[in-house]
Amino acid sequence: MPLEIRKVLEKFLSLLIGLGSVFILDSLYPAKSPPFWRYICVDMRVTDNKKAHNTSSYKNTSLIVRRNKEFIIIIRFDRPFNNQQDNVHLEFMIGNSPDENKGTYITVSFGKEKRDGRWNGRVIGMQGNEVTVGITPDASCIIGRFRTFVTIVTDLGKQRTQRNPDIDLYVLFNAWDPGEDTDRQEYVMNDVGIIFNGEINNISSRAWNFGQFEKGVLDACLLVLDAGKVPLLYRGNAIEVVRQGSALINSQDDDGVLVGSWSGDYSTGTAPTAWTGSPEILLKYAKDGGLPVCFAQCWVFAGVLNTFMRCLGIPTRVVTNYCSAHDNTGNLKTDIILDEDGRVNRSRTRDSVWNYHSWNEVFMRRPDLPERFSGWQVIDCTPQETSDGLYRCGPTSVNAIRDGELSYPFDARFVFAEVRNMSMLFDVYLPSSDKYGNTKVINVDTTYVGKLLITKRMNSNAYEDITSAYKHPEGSLKERETMQMAERRGVSSRDYLPPAEAGVTIELQADTIKIGDNFKLTLNIKNQTRQTCTLSATITGCVVYYTGITSSIFKLDNKAYMPYLVEQSNLLFVVYGRIEENGKTLSTMRVVALRPPELTIKVTGTPRVGKDFMVTVSFRNPFNFILKNIQLRLESPGLITTKLKTYDHIAPGGSLQYTETITPQYPGKKVLIACLDCATVRQVTSQLEIFVQ
């Protein structure tokens, strides 16, 4: 065969191999002139390499490594390898059209014509027909699944191995790189966590199975990037992957993983409150070929994004912001409009303050910003506002938010508005009776928004207060400097005309109650003047979503709120008063949290590897009405996959009991997570830590 034709065929077949076709290039050589030696097999040393790269936890039989760290493999030939005379290439390809210039076709050469490439390679040793080599993916390597080929190069041409999925290679981000100074065990390796919710006066939590190491989850996370058409060139840049991920976990505009819904009607999917972890969601998304999963709200978005980032190797945590502002009017003020009788005017109130809102932080260097803005970065995939045309948020530096440096990418002003108590004015208006429909301020609270920001404490289920990472102390010089900096960066001034002092203060007190219990309100009134004051006051009670949106107003009678309850609902009480002697007005409000009924988990037997033990989940219906169409989930990362049971109804006072037999495969601490959910009662959860011997 002429040399020119052979080269053309070789190039053509190389392209086909890059596309996943199976060829061996023996046909390029005349029958009388075969290569003098052949490749036999390659040992990827999966167990040893995974241990060295902190990837042993992935339930995946392929080799998984972290970039910028050497992994060692052994290649066997049919004769000894001669480093001075022989030439061997290890080729790693990703994508449909591998290109050396784009980093999607990597060649690591060994032997007499060794040349430098993107990845470093070295011969570690030779014994018999085996050669041991070390390979180091470069620090900016594309993350994903590479196809591996061994190519023998001779004067007659190349002999490349067939495609063998068993020697495919996954490359991930490396949080163990110098400069990535954070707790990797908590923020990369921990596969179960706590997401905090509730409200500022009643902080509650639920366990969440991140499950980043579960079977199929890594491939599902890579599918998210593929389905979102994220260019391979972007996948070596952590900033790009993080920003793309914050868009792709929601399906608002790009057929991402989750459909957000706050409608209350989840009959066409799963209620957000029913999920117990990310693997079920990501695996369903992959199984359905990239069809968005229904439904999610902020903590579900945050839980799945946490899994996505940790799975790819980026340190990530979930953060909860209590009294989180959503400023629809864009004036950095949260405006609550009252009717003349003191009730919240739902049609005119466009802004809202969420009881809580969950987002994520990722820990990374920001080479695109000054050095002091590296570290924790806010990302948020709950679809609230668009950024560069897509529903996403971040990454934005937490340090930049704290210091009012809002001109750096990405979305710093939006996050600043969610947490900044001195720039967010909590204004309550009373409609005037003039023909222009003007309003007047009757109350301003500059400390209402961003009262508390927390995340799970390392090695504990308690929370860590990280408010000081976002804001300087109230009234401090640093805080004033931050506001001045923010105003220079374009945010609205916090100047306002405060309402005149009424001389009387009011405070509403109430305790957290169980759903269905009676509530007790105490209104404390303090006269700070020397005159007698006559106060006329109206107390309005309404059911409110956790997003701060009011649902229904109810009478202040015992249990009168029950017919109006919505998912994750709390009770909002608004007091509006007028002093008859001077006509001045005053108001206050209080959110009363409602605790759901209890769900219990009990273990029978001692959990031991290879031995059965039983887990029983129990629930009693404490209400005087029937619960219908109940879902019960039980799961535990590293122990059992999600078990879903459905029940037609539970009568008043009736009980439910579900028992599962489990045979542990791995020792260590495990967390059992259970959740009961139905249309009339949401957020009924429980968790139990056990130790498998």
Side-chain angles (χ1 to χ4, degrees):
M1 181 185 297
L3 180 61
E4 293 78 7
I5 296 177
R6 186 163 66 243
K7 287 183 176 179
V8 171
L9 283 175
E10 182 179 293
K11 184 175 182 180
F12 173 68
L13 292 178
S14 296
L15 176 61
L16 289 178
I17 289 175
L19 294 172
S21 302
V22 179
F23 281 89
I24 187 164
L25 302 190
D26 286 344
S27 58
L28 295 183
Y29 305 100
K32 62 181 180 180
S33 303
F36 296 111
W37 54 301
R38 293 179 182 274
Y39 154 88
I40 301 298
C41 65
V42 60
D43 178 4
M44 302 298 282
R45 300 181 71 252
V46 172
T47 300
D48 291 340
N49 281 319
K50 278 187 170 182
K51 183 177 181 180
H53 284 251
N54 298 290
T55 59
S56 298
S57 298
Y58 287 89
K59 294 179 176 60
N60 188 309
T61 57
S62 296
L63 176 57
I64 303 171
V65 301
R66 302 191 186 275
R67 62 188 195 178
N68 201 32
K69 182 176 178 61
E70 185 180 68
F71 63 93
I72 298 171
I73 64 176
I74 300 172
I75 310 171
R76 179 179 297 171
F77 300 101
D78 64 352
R79 66 156 174 81
F81 174 75
N82 188 322
N83 200 29
Q84 305 302 317
Q85 298 180 5
D86 297 330
N87 280 319
V88 172
H89 293 172
L90 279 174
E91 297 175 335
F92 302 93
M93 305 181 190
I94 189 170
N96 292 330
S97 302
D99 187 325
E100 195 167 8
N101 294 324
K102 296 180 179 179
T104 55
Y105 177 25
I106 305 295
T107 300
V108 182
S109 59
F110 303 94
K112 68 176 182 179
E113 295 182 3
K114 175 176 170 54
R115 58 186 178 88
D116 294 333
R118 289 176 180 263
W119 295 13
N120 291 328
R122 66 187 181 104
V123 174
I124 296 176
M126 293 176 286
Q127 184 174 4
N129 294 350
E130 295 180 345
V131 56
T132 301
V133 299
I135 301 167
T136 305
D138 66 289
S140 60
C141 169
I142 292 169
I143 57 104
R145 181 173 181 167
F146 286 81
R147 304 180 295 278
T148 304
F149 301 92
V150 180
T151 301
I152 295 175
V153 183
T154 70
D155 293 339
L156 296 176
K158 296 181 179 180
Q159 180 192 24
R160 180 183 284 120
T161 58
Q162 295 180 345
R163 167 75 196 284
N164 181 2
D166 292 340
I167 59 173
D168 281 359
L169 170 74
Y170 293 84
V171 180
L172 305 179
F173 291 110
N174 189 358
W176 284 260
D177 256 355
E180 304 289 345
D181 189 17
T182 188
D183 191 292
R184 290 96 170 178
Q185 186 60 41
E186 179 69 48
Y187 301 128
V188 179
M189 302 301 294
N190 200 348
D191 59 357
V192 66
I194 297 293
I195 299 179
F196 294 95
N197 49 32
E199 58 97 22
I200 186 66
N201 295 306
N202 182 49
I203 295 173
S204 55
S205 65
R206 62 180 297 165
W208 189 264
N209 175 16
F210 297 128
Q212 66 268 34
F213 305 123
E214 296 300 302
K215 183 178 180 180
V217 169
L218 175 56
D219 287 320
C221 291
L222 295 177
L223 174 65
V224 171
L225 296 174
D226 291 339
K229 297 180 173 58
V230 178
L232 287 170
L233 286 175
Y234 286 5
R235 302 188 195 184
N237 185 332
I239 298 171
E240 283 288 353
V241 170
V242 163
R243 184 152 173 79
Q244 296 285 341
S246 74
L248 293 172
I249 298 302
N250 74 72
S251 65
Q252 195 76 5
D253 42 29
D254 50 15
D255 290 332
V257 176
L258 282 161
V259 178
S261 176
W262 288 259
S263 68
D265 179 8
Y266 308 115
S267 56
T268 58
T270 299
T273 47
W275 300 113
T276 49
S278 306
E280 183 182 3
I281 294 169
L282 287 165
L283 294 176
K284 177 175 174 54
Y285 177 78
K287 180 182 177 182
D288 294 345
L291 184 68
V293 179
C294 301
F295 292 101
Q297 292 175 1
C298 71
W299 75 94
V300 181
F301 284 117
V304 174
L305 185 56
N306 213 66
T307 298
F308 178 80
M309 293 301 168
R310 287 188 184 182
C311 187
L312 298 182
I314 297 175
T316 316
R317 63 187 184 183
V318 177
V319 172
T320 298
N321 176 33
Y322 287 94
C323 301
S324 185
H326 192 173
D327 176 25
N328 282 303
T329 54
N331 61 358
L332 289 181
K333 299 179 182 180
T334 306
D335 304 332
I336 307 298
I337 313 297
L338 300 184
D339 291 329
E340 293 180 354
D341 59 1
R343 297 181 178 182
V344 176
N345 187 317
R346 295 172 60 191
S347 63
R348 299 187 64 185
T349 300
R350 296 177 56 197
D351 298 338
S352 62
V353 178
W354 296 26
N355 290 344
Y356 73 92
H357 177 50
S358 298
W359 60 63
N360 302 82
E361 288 179 357
V362 292
F363 192 90
M364 62 170 56
R365 285 172 288 182
R366 290 295 300 269
D368 57 324
L369 304 181
E371 177 61 29
R372 68 183 185 278
F373 297 134
S374 291
W376 289 112
Q377 314 286 317
V378 173
I379 56 173
D380 190 350
C381 63
T382 299
Q384 298 179 89
E385 302 290 341
T386 59
S387 173
D388 295 333
L390 295 175
Y391 280 92
R392 58 184 169 186
C393 180
T396 186
S397 167
V398 172
N399 290 342
I401 296 300
R402 181 194 60 205
D403 295 338
E405 293 278 7
L406 308 183
S407 59
Y408 295 110
F410 299 88
D411 310 309
R413 288 188 60 178
F414 182 79
V415 179
F416 188 84
E418 289 182 295
V419 305
R420 212 65 194 185
N421 56 11
M422 292 193 72
S423 63
M424 295 296 299
L425 305 180
F426 186 80
D427 296 346
V428 182
Y429 287 87
L430 176 69
S432 67
S433 58
D434 67 32
K435 62 181 180 180
Y436 301 107
N438 292 325
T439 58
K440 68 175 182 179
V441 179
I442 60 173
N443 186 54
V444 175
D445 187 344
T446 61
T447 65
Y448 190 80
V449 168
K451 280 184 177 292
L452 178 68
L453 291 104
I454 61 176
T455 189
K456 176 185 174 298
R457 187 184 300 276
M458 290 187 295
N459 305 314
S460 169
N461 286 337
Y463 70 77
E464 176 185 356
D465 184 347
I466 58 171
T467 310
S468 61
Y470 284 81
K471 301 191 292 187
H472 292 294
E474 175 82 14
S476 67
L477 175 61
K478 281 286 189 181
E479 176 68 10
R480 292 194 295 272
E481 291 174 349
T482 292
M483 281 309 307
Q484 292 169 1
M485 176 63 73
E487 289 170 11
R488 289 198 295 271
R489 296 293 183 261
V491 305
S492 301
S493 170
R494 61 185 293 265
D495 294 337
Y496 61 91
L497 292 176
E501 293 290 338
V504 176
T505 62
I506 56 176
E507 179 188 19
L508 191 61
Q509 293 181 336
D511 294 328
T512 298
I513 60 173
K514 288 184 178 180
I515 295 176
D517 286 356
N518 296 327
F519 57 83
K520 178 182 178 182
L521 297 178
T522 302
L523 182 62
N524 295 325
I525 305 171
K526 185 176 182 180
N527 185 356
Q528 297 174 320
T529 71
R530 295 183 178 181
Q531 291 80 33
T532 299
C533 295
T534 305
L535 175 67
S536 299
T538 301
I539 302 179
T540 303
C542 56
V543 174
V544 60
Y545 292 90
Y546 87 96
T547 57
I549 303 299
T550 57
S551 174
S552 302
I553 296 174
F554 60 88
K555 294 181 179 180
L556 300 186
D557 294 331
N558 289 340
K559 302 184 182 180
Y561 61 87
M562 284 298 294
Y564 305 102
L565 291 185
V566 293
E567 57 187 297
Q568 287 200 89
S569 57
N570 293 314
L571 306 181
L572 172 66
F573 296 96
V574 179
V575 180
Y576 167 71
R578 180 185 297 272
I579 300 173
E580 294 183 1
E581 284 77 10
N582 57 23
K584 293 179 180 178
T585 57
L586 61 164
S587 70
T588 189
M589 60 178 59
R590 175 79 179 199
V591 174
V592 176
L594 299 176
R595 293 199 310 271
E598 293 182 355
L599 185 70
T600 61
I601 305 175
K602 181 181 178 181
V603 169
T604 303
T606 301
R608 298 179 185 274
V609 172
K611 302 292 184 181
D612 292 350
F613 74 97
M614 291 190 299
V615 175
T616 301
V617 182
S618 303
F619 174 80
R620 177 185 173 277
N621 179 6
F623 306 114
N624 60 2
F625 53 85
I626 299 174
L627 301 180
K628 299 179 180 179
N629 300 321
I630 302 105
Q631 286 190 346
L632 178 65
R633 278 177 170 80
L634 174 67
E635 68 175 307
S636 177
L639 193 61
I640 56 169
T641 57
T642 305
K643 305 295 182 182
L644 172 62
K645 298 293 180 181
T646 59
Y647 301 87
D648 181 65
H649 71 278
I650 307 176
S655 297
L656 173 154
Q657 193 171 83
Y658 162 61
T659 300
E660 181 74 26
T661 300
I662 300 174
T663 308
Q665 302 298 315
Y666 307 97
K669 186 182 75 172
K670 308 295 178 185
V671 180
L672 292 160
I673 305 170
C675 177
L676 181 142
D677 194 85
C678 65
T680 47
V681 181
R682 305 286 192 193
Q683 200 83 335
V684 182
T685 65
S686 184
Q687 65 206 53
L688 179 66
E689 286 191 4
I690 63 172
F691 189 85
V692 177
Q693 299 179 6

